[in-house]
Amino acid sequence: WALGCAGSKHVRGHPAAPDSAGQAMWVVGLTGSIGMGKSAVSDMLRGLGVPVSDADAIVHAIYAKGGAAVEPLSREFPGVVIDGAVSRPALSKAVLGDAAALKRLEALVHPLVRAARRDFLARARAAAEPLAVLDIPLLYEAGCEKECDEVLVVSAPPSVQRERVLSRPNMRAMAPEEAAAKFEAILANQLPDAEKRKRAHCVIDTGAPMESTRAAVAAFAEQRRPLGAQRRRRRRLAAAAAAAA
């Protein structure tokens, strides 16, 4: 199987303990380096009816015309706003290889993304969802694991990762040397896959056949939904006891 999980003693927010994410449901952080198949796993979870917050989709929304990030990024990085929207290629060019510029970008964008995630979790909680997933590419890098009960890392062999990334249309449009250099620059800004796997509570290997990956995702969702349901029941009982006291 393509699913590997640590023992329950390593999972924050174990059903016998208060929830670390502060939610009446089970909150999973989904992450993985570029080209590891995280988007495919995210889509599989949605197909199973699990609500998923996509950090990339949030960023697209706040970069769009009228989005919350347009004005502050225009001030901080002149020239990255074109026709009223943030140009991702221009912004990427402005920060790629510049650690200080990247930190300024994160300081502006991360609070906006966190606010959107809080809204997502509030909606999922109001809908009595037992399980919610936060799809965050730079989860560990941004310290977002503290918002989750556990972290699910999507991984694949380095050769598979490299082939996937370099076969993307935007990469194929570049000279091979330029594409390879961009790939390495992106990796340099991400926590190494080996470290992600080490920190993860669970790992799904998307280098396995698609059927195995799909089965692993289904098993993961099936195992986690009861944890959120148990947490919600405990909260209802605690509220009832407090009201009766």
Side-chain angles (χ1 to χ4, degrees):
W1 255 28
L3 174 66
C5 293
S8 60
K9 66 179 181 179
H10 298 300
V11 178
R12 290 184 297 277
H14 186 275
D19 51 296
S20 61
Q23 304 290 338
M25 57 191 164
W26 196 257
V27 180
V28 174
L30 173 66
T31 193
S33 298
I34 185 172
M36 291 301 193
K38 180 180 59 60
S39 295
V41 169
S42 184
D43 287 342
M44 290 176 190
L45 287 165
R46 285 193 188 87
L48 294 168
V50 178
V52 179
S53 171
D54 183 342
D56 282 339
I58 292 172
V59 171
H60 276 290
I62 64 176
Y63 282 6
K65 191 171 184 178
V70 174
E71 184 178 346
L73 289 182
S74 177
R75 290 196 304 267
E76 188 66 33
F77 303 100
V80 303
V81 173
I82 300 173
D83 295 329
V86 176
S87 166
R88 294 186 75 143
L91 184 59
S92 176
K93 186 176 180 180
V95 303
L96 194 62
D98 186 337
L102 184 61
K103 285 188 178 299
R104 297 201 311 274
L105 172 63
E106 291 171 348
L108 290 171
V109 172
H110 285 181
L112 300 174
V113 175
R114 282 196 296 271
R117 282 202 301 270
R118 286 194 297 271
D119 290 344
F120 162 80
L121 290 174
R123 291 193 300 272
R125 184 172 60 247
E129 294 286 355
L131 173 64
V133 173
L134 303 178
D135 177 342
I136 308 174
L138 299 178
L139 181 143
Y140 285 120
E141 294 85 344
C144 297
E145 68 272 23
K146 296 184 289 292
E147 302 176 25
C148 311
D149 291 300
E150 66 175 317
V151 175
L152 172 62
V153 164
V154 178
S155 184
S159 59
V160 174
Q161 177 193 28
R162 186 179 185 85
E163 181 182 357
R164 287 172 177 170
V165 174
L166 295 183
S167 65
R168 292 179 176 181
N170 65 319
M171 291 293 205
R172 294 180 66 181
M174 301 178 186
E177 299 81 5
E178 183 184 1
K182 182 171 183 179
F183 174 52
E184 294 301 330
I186 293 170
L187 287 183
N189 285 321
Q190 297 185 341
L191 193 71
D193 177 59
E195 182 63 21
K196 286 189 176 82
R197 294 174 67 103
K198 181 180 177 182
R199 295 190 191 183
H201 299 94
C202 285
V203 177
I204 286 183
D205 179 7
T206 65
M210 183 64 73
E211 295 76 11
S212 295
T213 300
R214 197 177 301 279
V217 171
F220 179 86
E222 183 179 358
Q223 293 163 9
R224 269 50 185 186
R225 278 190 171 111
L227 301 182
Q230 290 171 23
R231 176 171 290 166
R232 185 173 293 277
R233 283 196 296 272
R234 288 201 311 275
R235 286 204 168 192
R236 283 204 304 266
L237 291 173

